[in-house]
Amino acid sequence: MQRYHLLFSGRVQGVGFRYLVSRTARIYGLTGTVTNLPDGRVEAQVQGSETAFSAFLETVRRGNGHSDIHGLDIKLIPTKPRERDFEII
């Protein structure tokens, strides 16, 4: 199990992007959080298997028809063993 910190930039606020991230994470059995940042980016923490994370990322990168990702920073962070769900904050 891995936990990833993601920062999405581009047209990612006000277009249903957090809901796309949340729904996709749940489909692939991932846990974590997603939130809007004051600077217009969206921050997510996503935890699960590398295979599920790769599928999640591929789906999210395609967008929802309204979002447009211009940048994505990803780094590994410590896992949260007791986490059980994915939340929109």
Side-chain angles (χ1 to χ4, degrees):
M1 179 175 356
Q2 302 275 358
R3 187 175 186 85
Y4 302 88
H5 179 264
L6 301 97
L7 285 174
F8 297 93
S9 59
R11 191 172 60 229
V12 291
Q13 287 193 15
V15 293
F17 186 71
R18 288 179 304 153
Y19 298 99
L20 169 67
V21 169
S22 176
R23 184 175 63 249
T24 305
R26 287 184 177 125
I27 287 169
Y28 290 108
L30 300 166
T31 63
T33 61
V34 63
T35 189
N36 285 338
L37 296 177
D39 64 4
R41 294 180 298 168
V42 168
E43 177 183 46
Q45 291 189 18
V46 180
Q47 180 168 289
S49 75
E50 287 184 54
T51 304
F53 178 73
S54 293
F56 158 84
L57 201 52
E58 183 178 320
T59 302
V60 168
R61 282 183 166 159
R62 284 196 300 262
N64 62 5
H66 304 288
S67 60
D68 186 15
I69 299 168
H70 295 162
L72 173 58
D73 295 320
I74 304 172
K75 68 179 179 179
L76 283 172
I77 58 175
T79 61
K80 292 187 176 179
R82 296 189 190 331
E83 189 172 67
R84 300 286 178 245
D85 200 6
F86 198 94
E87 297 181 70
I88 297 173
I89 298 174

